[in-house]
Amino acid sequence: MNSDADFDYLKTLTDSDDKKTILSELMTVYGKDVWNYAYSMTRKRELADDVTQDVFLKVYRSLFTFRSESSLKTWLLTITRNTVLDYRRSAYFRRITLVDFFASDAGEPSAEQEVIATETVNRLWEMVLELPAKYREAIILFAHHQLSMKEIAKVLDVSEGTVKSRLHHARLKLAKLKERHNDGTER
C-alpha cells in the first residue's frame, strides 16, 4: 500500500468513528509486522508481546493523529521502535538472545526440503540477531519488512546515507558470520 491508499483506508475506517474497529483492522493487517520487528529488536518473545500491546495502545490513543506523511506500516514501525527504545531505557529490559522460528509459505515441498529450508532460514536469522542493533534494525527493515531507504531513514530517524552505510556494514558482518559458522568457529 502507498501512503495515499493507507490514508484513504484509515480515513474510510475513521468515518465510522469506531476506534475499536479501526484498531482491530490495524492489528489484523500489521500486528505480525509489529511483533516481528519488536522481537528482532528485543530478542525476547515476552518482551515483544508487551511492546506490541503497548504499540497498539499508543496507536489507539493517537489514532486520529496519522497525517499520511508516511505509510501506515512506517508509522507503526516507528512507534514500535520508539517503544522498544523506551523499554531499553527502563530497568525491565534485559538482553537475552532467543531464536525465532520463521516458516516458509512456499508450495508443498518434501519433508526433507522443509527441514533444510527451515534450518537455513533459522541459521540466517540467528546470524541477523547476532548483529549489533543498528545493523540488525536496518537489515530487518529492508529485507523482512521491505521498506525503502527513505522509509527506513524515517523509522530510524537517520539520513538515507546512514541507512545505506548500515546496510552495507550489516551485509559485510553477515558474510563474516556466515564464514565463521561454515568453518565451525562460531563466535
Side-chain angles (χ1 to χ4, degrees):
M1 284 186 166
N2 63 30
S3 293
D4 294 334
D6 285 343
F7 184 68
D8 291 341
Y9 169 73
L10 187 59
K11 188 175 179 185
T12 301
L13 289 175
T14 59
D15 287 342
S16 72
D17 244 356
D18 184 8
K19 288 173 79 173
K20 289 181 183 177
T21 302
I22 298 167
L23 183 66
S24 178
E25 278 294 315
L26 291 175
M27 289 172 70
T28 300
V29 175
Y30 299 105
K32 191 172 186 175
D33 288 329
V34 168
W35 188 91
N36 285 334
Y37 187 45
Y39 177 81
S40 72
M41 291 182 69
T42 63
R43 302 186 214 176
K44 187 172 181 186
R45 292 179 189 277
E46 297 80 18
L47 190 52
D49 291 341
D50 292 345
V51 167
T52 301
Q53 183 176 1
D54 283 354
V55 166
F56 284 108
L57 282 171
K58 289 175 183 180
V59 167
Y60 182 79
R61 290 184 194 118
S62 61
L63 196 55
F64 300 109
T65 64
F66 178 70
R67 296 180 304 241
S68 78
E69 293 174 359
S70 62
S71 70
L72 275 170
K73 187 174 184 176
T74 302
W75 183 59
L76 290 168
L77 293 178
T78 301
I79 294 169
T80 304
R81 181 176 191 269
N82 291 336
T83 303
V84 168
L85 294 176
D86 290 344
Y87 270 83
R88 283 184 180 167
R89 287 184 204 110
S90 75
Y92 178 73
F93 182 79
R94 286 184 228 143
R95 292 183 134 192
I96 297 175
T97 304
L98 297 175
V99 178
D100 196 5
F101 177 77
F102 294 88
S104 172
D105 291 336
E108 290 186 35
S110 70
E112 185 177 321
Q113 289 173 325
E114 282 184 26
V115 169
I116 292 170
T118 300
E119 275 299 310
T120 302
V121 169
N122 284 342
R123 270 187 266 127
L124 176 63
W125 283 108
E126 285 175 21
M127 286 185 274
V128 168
L129 292 174
E130 288 180 34
L131 294 174
K134 65 183 182 180
Y135 302 133
R136 185 173 64 242
E137 282 182 315
I139 200 85
I140 287 171
L141 289 172
F142 181 76
H144 182 70
H145 295 288
Q146 299 179 347
L147 297 184
S148 68
M149 296 289 176
K150 187 175 187 175
E151 290 173 318
I152 296 170
K154 188 170 183 74
V155 169
L156 300 179
D157 196 26
V158 297
S159 71
E160 285 183 58
T162 300
V163 171
K164 289 176 185 176
S165 173
R166 287 181 183 180
L167 286 172
H168 174 74
H169 288 289
R171 288 182 186 115
L172 291 176
K173 288 185 178 294
L174 282 172
K176 286 180 183 176
L177 283 170
K178 185 177 177 185
E179 225 175 86
R180 274 191 267 161
H181 283 256
N182 288 342
D183 291 343
T185 58
E186 298 179 26
R187 295 188 186 152

